[in-house]
Structure formats: structure tokens, C-alpha cells
């Protein structure tokens, strides 16, 4: 579902750490041996700060994953100009 959402530039909905999240998926890959994705959280809840904001999510901790019928335009600029490091990037939004 993550790969489909990145390719089609569709927003995801899921629960993570007890909070509902609405996220634009940008990078799917492996970091420290764990499948994760980096997304720009646009709505929902979070215990780690205000939104919107970049967040990294472990696939194994996500629940109720759904692709919404809401598109996003593509890449967003990150404050540093580059995304965080990965052991392996599988797919990046264009």
C-alpha cells in the first residue's frame, strides 16, 4: 500500500502510537534493519510536536492503514534540503 500511495501521490490514513495520522508518503525504505517510511504529516494527532511536520514511521507499528482518495502534488522541500539517511531507499516520491 505504501508503494502504491507513493507512486500515485495519495495520502495515507493510519494509527500510530495511539494517534490517528494523515500523511503524505515521501520515502519508503529500510533503516537500521527496519522497514519504514518518511512522510509529511498534515493532520491527525501526535505526541511529538505541532503539525504539519516530517515524521518517520516504522511499518510494524502502523495499524489500520488505508489509502485515501486525496492526492498531494509531489515532493516537498525539507528544511535542510535533504531527507534523513537510509540503509536502503526502495521508493521516493517524484
Amino acid at each position: 500500500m505504501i508503494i502504491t500511495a507513493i507512486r500515485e501521490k495519495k495520502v495515507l490514513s493510519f494509527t500510530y502510537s495511539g494517534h490517528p495520522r494523515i500523511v503524505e508518503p515521501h520515502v519508503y525504505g529500510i533503516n537500521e534493519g527496519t522497514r519504514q517510511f518518511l512522510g509529511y504529516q498534515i493532520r491527525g494527532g501526535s505526541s511529538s510536536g505541532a503539525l504539519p511536520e516530517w515524521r518517520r514511521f516504522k511499518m510494524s507499528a502502523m495499524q489500520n492503514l488505508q489509502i485515501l482518495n486525496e492526492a498531494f502534488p509531489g515532493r516537498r522541500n525539507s528544511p535542510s534540503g535533504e531527507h534523513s539517511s537510509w540503509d536502503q531507499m526502495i521508493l521516493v516520491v517524484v
Side-chain angles (χ1 to χ4, degrees), residues 29-36 56-60 86-87:
I30 299 171
N31 189 53
E32 298 179 358
T34 303
R35 290 191 181 267
Q36 303 176 6
R56 196 184 278 234
F57 301 97
K58 292 181 180 179
M59 300 298 297
S60 61
W86 294 84
D87 299 337

Side-chain angles (χ1 to χ4, degrees), residues 18-67:
H19 295 280
R21 314 286 180 131
I22 307 296
V23 179
E24 299 172 355
H26 284 262
V27 181
Y28 174 57
I30 299 171
N31 189 53
E32 298 179 358
T34 303
R35 290 191 181 267
Q36 303 176 6
F37 87 90
L38 175 69
Y40 193 72
Q41 186 176 343
I42 55 175
R43 295 188 302 278
S46 175
S47 59
S48 60
L51 299 174
E53 186 59 80
W54 290 101
R55 302 269 193 257
R56 196 184 278 234
F57 301 97
K58 292 181 180 179
M59 300 298 297
S60 61
M62 296 170 61
Q63 298 175 330
N64 306 316
L65 178 63
Q66 297 178 357
I67 298 175

